[in-house]
């Protein structure tokens, strides 16, 4: 369950990034879900790629931190 929620939230963060940055384009939510395939995902220029990667990393750290509190590790 946690993996599915993480995947959806990371795709949503990628869509938010595309709306915040003018140099990043994502054609749909499905494309964001399959971002590894790079179909419909475009970055124009090094500066956009650098800024986008920094912002996306920050978004993902916040998401992962929040999910860590919602789904604490289970004792072995």
């Amino acid at each position: 369950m946690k993996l599915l929620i993480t995947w959806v939230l990371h795709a949503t963060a990628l869509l938010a990034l595309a709306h915040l940055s003018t140099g990043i384009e994502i054609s749909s939510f499905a494309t964001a879900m399959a971002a590894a395939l790079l179909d419909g995902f475009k970055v124009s220029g090094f500066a956009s790629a650098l800024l986008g990667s920094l912002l996306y990393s920050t978004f993902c750290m916040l998401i992962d931190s929040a999910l860590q509190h919602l789904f604490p590790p289970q004792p072995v």
Side-chain angles (χ1 to χ4, degrees):
M1 181 68 167
K2 180 182 174 185
L3 179 63
L4 180 62
I5 292 171
T6 301
W7 186 30
V8 170
L9 290 176
H10 282 202
T12 304
L14 196 55
L15 282 175
L17 179 63
H19 288 288
L20 291 173
S21 176
T22 57
I24 299 172
E25 296 178 25
I26 300 174
S27 59
S28 68
F29 184 72
T31 303
M33 294 291 284
L37 298 177
L38 300 178
D39 185 2
F41 178 69
K42 299 176 185 174
V43 179
S44 61
F46 177 76
S48 294
L50 180 62
L51 178 62
S53 67
L54 292 173
L55 287 173
Y56 184 66
S57 295
T58 303
F59 290 159
C60 290
M61 278 189 343
L62 293 172
I63 289 168
D64 291 342
S65 176
L67 288 177
Q68 188 71 18
H69 290 293
L70 290 174
F71 299 98
Q74 300 295 324
V76 180

